[in-house]
Amino acid sequence: MSDDLRTAYRIEPLTARQIDARAAEGLAPLLCDAVESGASVGFLAPLDAAEATAWWRGVAGEAVRGVRSVWAAYAPGGAVAGVISLVRAAMPNQPHRGDIAKLLVHRDARGRGLGSRLLAVAEEAAAAEGLTLLVLDTETGSAAEGLYRKAGWTRAGTIPRYALSPDGTPHATTYYYKLIGGA
């Protein structure tokens, strides 16, 4: 794949106001696409646009409170092609930790390195904030596992029957961690 195609997608942080404004038009369709294509991202199929929009509006509230940061990747035509979130740990004894959540890439944009770029952006932002430990979970055996291992994440363990796939089938989830910044 050419470098031009890899860099044609621009990645930008979203403010709470931008998350709310793009909830129905760009972010909800991305979430619906992920669920429709079988990604285990917390929702069952079929996911309707209203439910996806409401979820993103809740994310906007988390951004206002400083709990979550969101970055969006835009395709050359301006459509939202991917997204990633960094969620800060809520407990007082975990100010050094964050969770990577909702790494989504539209199926039309997959295979172009966009997931890796989004992950790197979130990791760099977390390190700049002084976070030293990131964690995430993903469906065991999913394509995402390869992406995380390639990016230097360490497998912590697997929990059987942890969540349901979009079709309602139970599946295992694998947890990963990565030490970053001054770790």
Side-chain angles (χ1 to χ4, degrees):
M1 177 164 311
S2 74
D3 287 338
D4 289 342
L5 190 53
R6 287 186 194 279
T7 58
Y9 292 83
R10 77 180 193 286
I11 299 174
E12 298 178 356
L14 296 179
T15 65
R17 176 173 273 153
Q18 289 170 320
I19 295 166
D20 189 59
R22 291 178 176 91
E25 295 300 317
L27 298 171
L30 179 65
L31 181 56
C32 289
D33 174 74
V35 173
E36 187 178 300
S37 64
S40 180
V41 291
F43 297 92
L44 297 174
L47 176 60
D48 75 9
E51 183 180 357
T53 300
W55 186 82
W56 280 109
R57 293 219 161 105
V59 166
E62 292 175 352
V64 166
R65 294 189 307 277
V67 173
R68 184 185 297 250
S69 295
V70 178
W71 293 265
Y74 296 95
V80 177
V83 70
I84 193 167
S85 296
L86 171 64
V87 182
R88 284 147 202 87
M91 300 308 295
N93 69 340
Q94 300 172 27
H96 61 288
R97 186 179 70 76
D99 293 15
I100 296 296
K102 298 295 183 278
L103 172 55
L104 309 173
V105 175
H106 193 279
R107 64 182 120 185
D108 293 341
R110 292 180 189 153
R112 299 181 175 152
L114 191 53
S116 296
R117 287 182 55 212
L118 283 161
L119 186 58
V121 164
E123 289 175 9
E124 289 168 15
E129 286 183 27
L131 299 182
T132 58
L133 173 65
L134 294 176
V135 296
L136 61 82
D137 68 275
T138 192
E139 182 175 356
T140 304
S142 69
E145 281 197 282
L147 173 112
Y148 299 131
R149 284 192 301 268
K150 186 176 178 183
W153 287 71
T154 302
R155 181 182 176 276
T158 299
I159 302 172
R161 301 178 60 84
Y162 184 82
L164 300 178
S165 295
D167 67 4
T169 306
H171 66 80
T173 293
T174 301
Y175 277 84
Y176 286 85
Y177 71 91
K178 187 171 188 179
L179 298 172
I180 62 167

